[in-house]
DNA sequence: AAAATAAATGCAAGTCAGTTGCTTTTACCT
DNA sequence: AGGTAAAAGCAACTGACTTGCATTTATTTT
């Protein structure tokens, strides 16, 4: 089954929401709030960016991820791990192994991981 | 070889530094800046807590870690991974496997990982 | 098509972690 | 004890993120 739209889930399709959905349809890499805000050349308030991202995440149209500098990043595809260059920010997907399937004493396990390094261009 | 003291590394042994070293000698779990600050009942300025932690980390007497709520945590033992209860904060060490030893395109690899869950007491 | 209405936006102000600049105090050396 | 550089304390700042509230907008109802 494919993703339900905002309207199908009882949310209005507003101009800010449309702008941010368009942004993600053009972009495959994860993006921070500020990257999104700047990409829209401040056509919408930054508070609205936060609120729209919360809604889009709520309805499963985007996904949150941990990041290096700004802590919240979002992407159009479900969360998996990345390696990020600490100099230029180049980011590359990593195959997602399933760590820790049998941890004792804890339930409802979640994990967040950031792997960073220097890409060829930045390594000297 | 064992750890060099502050003095041996050219740093003064001041009252705030002593207090924080004592704090870590009593505590095995990682602690955030605020936890440290509150534990000292504000005997020293919070800015000083930040600066002392930076020094102690610099000289290798404590180690920084990523965390769930506050992003900076510190511990007396070298960085490894933990699982943290999202309700009460109970934290437990995890064996550190050496992920990602052969990543392509990136050098100087570092990783940060937080694993959280609900401990037995908080799981209902 | 216009009015009604609830939901969403924008703006201003607030919170909270972490930083910076600067003055005063302190550890340590002579 | 006195001198001095390093460190502490204080106040103000920054930047991410949140909250409250008045205004605007998407969609429903006439
Ligand atoms: Mn994964
Ligand atoms: Mn590890
Ligand atoms: Zn790079
Ligand atoms: Zn718990």
């Amino acid at each position: 089954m494919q993703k339900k739209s905002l309207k199908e889930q009882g949310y209005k399709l507003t101009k800010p929401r449309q702008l941010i959905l368009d942004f993600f349809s053009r972009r495959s890499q994860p993006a921070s709030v500020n990257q999104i805000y700047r990409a829209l050349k401040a056509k919408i308030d930054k508070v609205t960016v936060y609120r729209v991202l919360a809604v889009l995440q709520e309805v499963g149209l985007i996904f949150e991820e941990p990041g290096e500098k700004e802590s919240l990043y979002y992407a159009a595809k479900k969360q998996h791990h990345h390696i990020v260059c600490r100099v230029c920010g180049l980011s590359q997907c990593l195959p997602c192994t399933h760590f820790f399937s049998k941890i004792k004493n804890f339930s409802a396990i979640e994990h967040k991981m950031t792997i960073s390094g220097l890409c060829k261009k930045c390594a000297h």
Side-chain angles (χ1 to χ4, degrees), chain A:
Chain A
M1 70 186 174
Q2 80 151 15
K3 285 177 183 174
K4 282 185 185 145
S5 70
L6 278 170
K7 280 191 184 167
E8 286 170 315
Q9 301 192 56
Y11 291 89
K12 294 181 179 175
L13 182 52
T14 63
K15 204 181 311 179
R17 287 170 182 173
Q18 191 57 258
L19 281 167
I20 291 183
L21 284 171
D22 290 350
F23 170 86
F24 279 113
S25 73
R26 280 179 258 115
R27 174 171 182 125
S28 58
Q29 294 302 315
S32 70
V33 170
N34 283 320
Q35 289 170 336
I36 298 163
Y37 180 65
R38 289 197 309 264
L40 301 180
K41 295 213 188 74
K43 280 203 262 285
I44 56 183
D45 198 272
K46 199 190 277 188
V47 178
T48 302
V49 175
Y50 280 103
R51 292 198 272 224
V52 168
L53 292 172
V55 168
L56 296 182
Q57 191 193 356
E58 181 90 12
V59 304
L61 292 172
I62 63 169
F63 303 90
E64 192 179 306
E65 308 192 355
E68 262 293 290
K69 310 183 61 179
E70 295 153 286
S71 59
L72 300 176
Y73 280 71
Y74 296 87
K77 301 193 180 68
K78 178 132 186 55
Q79 180 177 3
H80 55 280
H81 301 296
H82 295 89
I83 177 159
V84 184
C85 177
R86 285 189 294 273
V87 176
C88 75
L90 178 81
S91 151
Q92 173 179 302
C93 299
L94 284 177
C96 178
T97 355
H98 286 159
F99 314 120
F100 310 115
S101 44
K102 284 290 172 205
I103 290 173
K104 300 273 177 159
N105 303 326
F106 283 82
S107 58
I109 307 280
E110 291 179 7
H111 71 280
K112 296 183 181 182
M113 182 172 222
T114 315
I115 306 171
S116 66
L118 306 179
C119 73
K120 281 174 177 168
K121 180 160 67 69
C122 298
H124 284 206

